[in-house]
Amino acid sequence: MVVKKYDVLVIGSGGGSKLSTPAGFIGLKAAIIEKGKFGGTCLNRGCIPSKMLIHPANVAHSIREAGKYDISTGVKSVNFEKILRRINRETDGDSRGITKWYDQNNNPTYYKGHARFVSDKVVEVNGTKMTAKRIFIATGARPNIPPIEGLKGTPYMTSTEALRARKLPKKLLVIGGGYIACELGHAYGALGADVHLIVRGETLLRKEDSEIQKEFVRKFSKDYNVHFLQKTMKVAYDKKKKKFTLSLEHKKSGKKKTITGDALLVATGVKPNTDDLGLDTTKIKTGKRGFVKVNRYMETSVKGVYALGDCVGNYMFRHSVNFEGDFLFKSLYLDKKRKKIKYPPMPHAVFSNPEVAGVGMTEDELIAKGKIKGKDYVIGLNTYKSSAMGMARIPDHGFVKLIFNKKNRKLIGAHIIGEEASDMIHQAIYAMTYGATVEKLLQMIYIHPALPEIFRNACRKALDEF
């Protein structure tokens, strides 16, 4: 059989499009393989549709809290089906538009189907074999489903189904305590569902700074029900009543209980889409959890085969795979020189309520490394309510926590919980990227009264600790 040859072959149309599209623009013979909808996780079942659902949920939440401003109002009704149909129509339309573009352009060549390696540098899709000077694996990840007794075969939801649902359940059970559970739990809850999170651990968002975790749990638990230290032993589904029943066991006391709901969302992390790529026919290595192993050049154990994004797992964000894709294209095809990837400070955000954002080291990570507060690092923390804008917004939560290196006085970590945290964090991202000291951050003029003054006040408090 004839093996088609390309300069660039990309598997996956999410972050992979950062390579396939510009490769075609500069005249390289390129191809892209996609088995599902164009746009990857972010556009079709991740960050974009979830934020399109969370925004109206935030509006509903704000309406319910209007009483603190002495405004009498309420949410009369929520047309959940119409909200979801609008979201799906928009994202599906964008995906179709990308597909149409690829269909109308001969370069890159678009192959719709499932890609499998048949040898180190030969990939097969729909019976067609192809190779390339460089192959890029960008297959992303999918929801991880835990082996809970009785779960398989029931109509449970993952984030994928939750973002395409048509009916708002009266009572939603959520297994998980990470960002997906907290974001979608808030979205469904703010729109009217009675939400219950079933969490194995003692906190939510366990990767956040511990002070952020504590504040998040305090506020989130006021709005939604959280069951900590609960192990889900069994799932039962009554087809007639259309009800889920979870059998739970407390991880410390051993006390057992059951909880029943109209819908079940499983949000227990993700797993890489590498188990069905035929990697066993190659020398491409993966780790225990299936993530592709790459070196500092983003190259796998097979020369000329690269991997990026969620299937690698260095970072699990769309903005991180965008950075990786841009880096690979620039170094390999514009500069034409292999370079080791060097990530700038990598930010993240959790679009729940409260909203959370962070970049750099947490205090917990510093303590784990043996660093001592006051000797190795200093902290400046300022609450939202202790600000001019706080007087206007009357917040019942929120703060900015900044961590500075004691020796060189540079910002090394920033953690924010509160309104517009995902916007507020950008000042810290810029500061860390360009090595700003606490003095430099205080030289600029901050608009009064605006939320970034909370950041400034945290800098002032940190300065007092040097």
Side-chain angles (χ1 to χ4, degrees):
M1 181 180 288
V2 176
V3 178
K4 293 188 175 183
K5 296 181 180 180
Y6 292 93
D7 296 312
V8 176
L9 174 58
V10 178
I11 305 173
S13 69
S17 62
K18 302 295 287 185
L19 289 150
S20 60
T21 304
F25 286 160
I26 64 171
L28 294 170
K29 187 179 180 182
I32 185 168
I33 304 171
E34 174 57 65
K35 68 177 182 179
K37 293 181 178 180
F38 259 92
T41 298
C42 180
L43 174 60
N44 294 294
R45 53 192 177 276
C47 38
I48 294 177
S50 65
K51 304 317 169 280
M52 292 176 73
L53 177 62
I54 290 166
H55 182 72
N58 285 341
V59 172
H61 188 272
S62 296
I63 292 171
R64 292 191 179 95
E65 290 196 332
K68 69 181 181 181
Y69 303 112
D70 302 310
I71 298 173
S72 298
T73 186
V75 179
K76 293 182 179 180
S77 65
V78 171
N79 193 328
F80 185 79
E81 180 181 358
K82 193 172 182 178
I83 292 172
L84 267 295
R85 286 193 183 279
R86 175 182 60 81
I87 293 169
N88 300 155
R89 183 173 63 251
E90 291 288 333
T91 57
D92 288 350
D94 273 6
S95 180
R96 285 193 299 270
I98 299 170
T99 305
K100 184 178 180 181
W101 184 90
Y102 274 95
D103 282 336
Q104 292 176 343
N105 288 272
N106 295 324
N107 190 24
T109 302
Y110 162 43
Y111 292 92
K112 181 173 178 59
H114 180 73
R116 283 184 62 85
F117 281 85
V118 294
S119 64
D120 278 352
K121 291 196 70 177
V122 177
V123 176
E124 184 176 33
V125 57
N126 302 331
T128 299
K129 291 183 179 180
M130 61 194 74
T131 187
K133 293 177 182 178
R134 293 190 179 101
I135 298 174
F136 299 90
I137 304 171
T139 50
R142 65 185 185 275
N144 177 61
I145 308 302
I148 301 173
E149 181 183 347
L151 179 62
K152 187 176 181 180
T154 66
Y156 67 87
M157 297 187 293
T158 65
S159 53
T160 301
E161 291 78 25
L163 293 169
R164 288 189 171 272
R166 293 294 180 260
K167 183 179 180 181
L168 181 69
K170 290 183 178 179
K171 186 175 182 180
L172 174 66
L173 309 180
V174 182
I175 300 177
Y179 76 94
I180 296 174
C182 292
E183 286 189 350
L184 292 180
H186 159 62
Y188 271 67
L191 291 174
D194 177 18
V195 171
H196 291 252
L197 266 64
I198 315 301
V199 184
R200 288 173 61 93
E202 297 180 296
T203 188
L204 299 169
L205 305 180
R206 60 185 177 83
K207 292 184 179 181
E208 299 295 334
D209 185 276
S210 57
E211 287 191 272
I212 294 287
Q213 292 178 36
K214 185 177 179 180
E215 179 78 341
F216 185 85
V217 168
R218 182 186 70 80
K219 172 60 177 172
F220 191 86
S221 298
K222 285 183 178 180
D223 295 324
Y224 312 113
N225 305 283
V226 185
H227 308 261
F228 291 109
L229 291 170
Q230 298 293 331
K231 183 178 181 181
T232 305
M233 305 299 293
K234 186 178 180 180
V235 174
Y237 181 68
D238 188 319
K239 293 182 179 179
K240 188 175 182 180
K241 295 181 179 180
K242 295 184 179 180
K243 298 279 187 180
F244 283 91
T245 299
L246 307 186
S247 298
L248 309 177
E249 181 179 299
H250 195 276
K251 291 179 68 177
K252 289 187 176 180
S253 69
K255 185 178 180 180
K256 297 180 180 179
K257 67 177 182 179
T258 60
I259 185 169
T260 299
D262 304 287
L264 173 63
L265 170 63
V266 179
T268 52
V270 299
K271 62 186 297 184
N273 292 322
T274 59
D275 51 342
D276 57 355
L277 280 178
L279 298 185
D280 55 325
T281 67
T282 74
K283 296 184 181 68
I284 298 172
K285 295 179 180 179
T286 59
K288 290 182 179 180
R289 296 174 58 197
F291 292 99
V292 179
K293 290 185 176 182
V294 297
N295 58 23
R296 292 293 301 277
Y297 300 94
M298 301 301 291
E299 192 173 31
T300 71
S301 46
V302 171
K303 187 177 181 180
V305 179
Y306 296 78
L308 63 156
D310 289 356
C311 67
V312 174
N314 286 344
Y315 297 99
M316 307 292 283
F317 313 120
R318 180 58 193 249
H319 48 271
S320 57
V321 71
N322 285 347
F323 176 82
E324 291 168 347
D326 288 340
F327 164 80
L328 285 169
F329 182 75
K330 184 177 185 297
S331 61
L332 296 176
Y333 298 111
L334 298 183
D335 298 339
K336 297 183 179 180
K337 182 180 179 181
R338 271 171 38 106
K339 296 178 182 178
K340 293 180 180 179
I341 191 167
K342 184 178 180 181
Y343 293 97
M346 187 63 70
H348 69 275
V350 181
F351 296 86
S352 184
N353 195 304
E355 189 167 291
V356 171
V359 62
M361 301 288 288
T362 65
E363 186 175 7
D364 309 84
E365 289 171 334
L366 290 168
I367 292 171
K369 289 186 174 184
K371 304 299 182 182
I372 300 171
K373 183 179 179 181
K375 178 184 176 182
D376 301 303
Y377 66 93
V378 302
I379 288 175
L381 189 150
N382 199 80
T383 62
Y384 268 57
K385 64 182 179 182
S386 298
S387 68
M389 186 55 75
M391 296 172 66
R393 300 200 182 195
I394 320 176
D396 63 351
H397 68 280
F399 59 79
V400 172
K401 178 179 180 178
L402 304 179
I403 307 174
F404 292 87
N405 182 298
K406 181 69 180 288
K407 186 177 181 179
N408 63 22
R409 309 173 81 87
K410 292 182 179 180
L411 183 67
I412 58 173
H415 309 280
I416 304 175
I417 180 169
E419 292 183 45
E420 300 179 38
S422 62
D423 292 324
M424 290 269 285
I425 198 66
H426 282 79
Q427 180 169 339
I429 301 167
Y430 186 86
M432 285 183 60
T433 301
Y434 294 101
T437 62
V438 63
E439 288 84 3
K440 289 292 185 182
L441 287 166
L442 288 171
Q443 281 181 7
M444 62 180 282
I445 297 174
Y446 292 75
I447 291 174
H448 176 80
L451 284 177
E453 285 189 317
I454 305 168
F455 186 96
R456 179 205 60 193
N457 294 347
C459 289
R460 287 175 173 174
K461 290 185 176 180
L463 185 63
D464 291 339
E465 299 300 316
F466 279 97

